[in-house]
Amino acid sequence: MSSKQILLRFESKNGQFRLTVKPTDEFPALLPKNLDPRTLTLSNKPHAGEDRLLSSLNGIAIERVGLKHGDKLFIKYNDQPPTNSALVALTARPSQPYNSSNRLDGQPILRTGDLLVPPLPPTLPLTTIKNAWEVVKQSPLDDRLDRMDGKVPRPRDQKMCKHGPKGMCDYCMPLEPFSPKYLEERKIKHLSFHSYLRKVNSATNKPELKSSYMPPLNEPYYRVKPDCPSGHPQWPEGICTKCQPSAITLQPQPFRMVDHVEFASPGIVDCFLNFWRLSGTQRVGFMYGHYEEYAEVPLGIKAVVEAIYEPPQIDEVDGCTLNSWKNEGDVDEVARLSCLQKVGVIFTDLIDAGAGDGTVVCKRHMNSYYLSSLEVTISARLQAQHHKATKWSDTGRFGSDFVTCVVSGDEDGGIAISSFQVSNSAVEMVQANLIEPSADPTVMLVCGREEEDGSESRTRYMPEVFYRRINEYGASVQENAKPSFPVEYLFVTLTHGFPKESTGTFDVSDFPIENREAIGEGQELRSVAKKLGVSSGKVEREKGIRSVADFHLLCFLHGMGILSQEEESLLCHVARSHDFAEGFQLLKTPGWATLLAILQESGNAGKRPPKRPSPPSFLAMGDDYFDISERLAKRFKRASLK
């Protein structure tokens, strides 16, 4: 045969591939290193063909077997067990570009220096729970709202109703909580979560059809689904219509998980703003509180903020950088003992107007932005860490109750609070690495298919992204979101406010706030002693019981590690209930006695020694002063320095 190169086709359990070889090449040269030669068999047919072990063809050239250009062989083999957990990267010839058809034994031939990226691990949205409505444990508030009827009652219409006082017609029958007419009358922009749930469930499950129950809620998932049943290799080696995500069409989310943010006391926000007033730099804090029913919206939910904890951070005039928060678990434990939880994040964006009257610059308004693309990305990552458990989803979770509050200037130059939540689509797009923030705060960038070095991305699959808008003719049109789209499609607005009467669990904090060393404010033992009414001579017990209702003080005492778990639980209960009977029970515990003893000792150690009396002046001593000076001079005259 001629020495011209020929093409051989191979088919194995991992797929098909082709090799360009010379007729004089020997068979062992075709064997990859990750295969066992004792188990590899060549055949001319897929079944019932002439099978021959490759080891028996050792030293035999291809032309001696009679293979011609374009012939196809079928191979069977077993993989060698890996020697370590590292992935083996195969290299290709420089002349061969990387594509889906360039494979060797079912593995793609990569460019020189390119490494095989492991597939994305399965995530929780893919884990379906069988009979989630029986297994998943919701919050007591969600269970209570599920049992409520939720319909909006209407009085009898004097003009249209023709029936008696016990009758009902279309003009006076109760409205559904998702009624567009009622929402328009009350100027409610977004449905509450449970109203949206009733609307979706009524369309998904209809008892009159006698069909099986289907969970009405489904979280968006914009990543390639692992373990595809089609049998092809996982992404990025293979993909099909069953595992690839569909095109994304963005539209404003019609509902919100939380409808209202209520600060239990104005002093909570005022203490948080004191850092900006003293330093002129911005500040970030995490809000701790609980969730309650919100009567202003049908089946509504409100987040009640009881305290703001400020984690370690580096504050600047135009932003903040969060440091490692090592005691986050301890703060969450104190909140749990106080029947609280992390409900959101709050940050400032304030610039003094320079007028000297306390006004600030209005940066966020209708013609600029309300929430920047970077802030949307950060909020999405935080919401992804705080999922909402619900039995109405086949995955056992849906969305998040985590909220974001921004303290900035309003159009009148005053300080105002704005509350937001990122949509479920935005959370999934951030997790799938499909979007990234832009230098322009009003737009969000769509990531491309290429990496920074220009190569095609092998860590994410980029579906098509569209969004709908109203054009200049008043028609709804669909546009491609690449390269950027307005950030307003990714969040919903919430209302906020303060109660008429302060009913907060904790008092306004006069204890030093944590992580404020930049403005000369630190938490020390003497601050604890002053807060609890402890001095070197006496202990004001009643003042100590009243003063423990401070979240920052509770976190500091937890960090000291003096109280036992039972004593700390009792302390948090006293701080929450303000019960003097249990407060005096706390005073009798050994841990609290140890704490008081430490505070008393620290007060004595920090007390300054009494000053020595100053010598009388020479004017008051008169002639005696000169006699004393003469005797001192004679004494020093006799002294010798040798």
Side-chain angles (χ1 to χ4, degrees), residues 261-557:
V261 179
E262 179 181 292
F263 293 90
S265 172
I268 299 174
V269 181
D270 190 64
C271 290
F272 179 70
L273 291 177
N274 282 337
F275 187 91
W276 172 79
R277 296 190 180 105
L278 297 175
S279 66
T281 58
Q282 311 307 325
R283 196 66 171 167
V284 177
F286 285 92
M287 301 182 292
Y288 285 86
H290 58 275
Y291 298 98
E292 296 180 358
E293 298 179 22
Y294 185 53
E296 301 298 326
V297 177
L299 301 177
I301 298 176
K302 68 178 179 180
V304 181
V305 180
E306 300 283 358
I308 299 176
Y309 188 91
E310 302 173 12
Q313 56 192 283
I314 300 176
D315 304 303
E316 300 177 4
V317 177
D318 57 348
C320 301
T321 302
L322 292 180
N323 294 334
S324 177
W325 188 5
K326 298 180 180 180
N327 65 330
E328 182 178 5
D330 297 332
V331 178
D332 292 342
E333 176 64 17
V334 174
R336 187 190 65 83
L337 295 176
S338 304
C339 297
L340 304 178
Q341 60 179 320
K342 195 181 297 179
V343 299
V345 64
I346 183 173
F347 60 91
T348 62
D349 185 17
L350 299 168
I351 298 178
D352 185 56
D357 54 357
T359 57
V360 294
V361 177
C362 179
K363 296 174 57 178
R364 302 168 186 259
H365 49 82
M366 182 177 61
N367 297 325
S368 62
Y369 66 95
Y370 291 103
L371 203 64
S372 68
S373 56
L374 177 61
E375 294 161 357
V376 168
T377 304
I378 297 174
S379 299
R381 296 188 182 277
L382 292 174
Q383 288 185 203
Q385 300 174 6
H386 302 83
H387 292 283
K388 180 184 181 68
T390 177
K391 63 183 181 181
W392 300 99
S393 174
D394 55 355
T395 58
R397 69 184 198 184
F398 185 80
S400 173
D401 289 337
F402 198 85
V403 301
T404 300
C405 295
V406 185
V407 185
S408 185
D410 58 10
E411 296 180 355
D412 298 328
I415 297 177
I417 303 175
S418 303
S419 303
F420 306 93
Q421 263 195 319
V422 175
S423 65
N424 295 350
S425 297
V427 173
E428 176 55 27
M429 293 183 75
V430 171
Q431 285 188 297
N433 198 20
L434 302 182
I435 55 177
E436 58 184 359
S438 169
D440 184 358
T442 62
V443 297
M444 183 73 75
L445 296 178
V446 179
C447 297
R449 298 180 183 270
E450 297 79 15
E451 298 289 352
E452 295 180 357
D453 58 354
S455 61
E456 186 175 356
S457 175
R458 306 189 65 238
T459 58
R460 65 172 179 266
Y461 178 83
M462 282 300 304
E464 295 294 332
V465 183
F466 303 94
Y467 70 97
R468 303 195 68 87
R469 70 176 185 89
I470 305 299
N471 61 6
E472 61 273 14
Y473 304 105
S476 177
V477 295
Q478 179 173 287
E479 292 190 1
N480 195 333
K482 295 180 180 180
S484 63
F485 62 93
V487 75
E488 285 79 10
Y489 286 85
L490 300 179
F491 65 87
V492 295
T493 58
L494 316 180
T495 59
H496 72 279
F498 300 90
K500 295 181 179 179
E501 296 182 2
S502 178
T503 58
T505 301
F506 303 110
D507 299 331
V508 177
S509 178
D510 55 353
F511 185 72
I513 309 298
E514 59 281 338
N515 301 311
R516 286 193 174 185
E517 290 78 7
I519 58 175
E521 184 176 337
Q523 295 179 333
E524 301 176 352
L525 288 178
R526 60 182 178 182
S527 303
V528 181
K530 180 180 178 181
K531 179 73 173 179
L532 299 180
V534 178
S535 61
S536 58
K538 61 179 180 177
V539 177
E540 301 179 15
R541 297 180 178 271
E542 294 186 1
K543 180 180 179 181
I545 296 175
R546 292 193 301 267
S547 301
V548 297
D550 191 319
F551 186 74
H552 305 281
L553 175 64
L554 296 178
C555 293
F556 184 79
L557 295 178

Side-chain angles (χ1 to χ4, degrees), residues 133-147:
W133 55 92
E134 299 176 356
V135 179
V136 177
K137 184 179 180 181
Q138 299 184 138
S139 64
L141 175 61
D142 289 329
D143 290 335
R144 189 163 59 252
L145 291 174
D146 286 342
R147 293 190 296 266

Side-chain angles (χ1 to χ4, degrees), residues 16-19 30 32 90 101-109:
Q16 299 181 0
F17 58 94
R18 299 175 295 178
L19 290 179
L30 307 178
L90 302 177
S101 62
N102 190 16
R103 294 174 176 269
L104 179 62
D105 297 328
Q107 300 293 333
I109 300 177

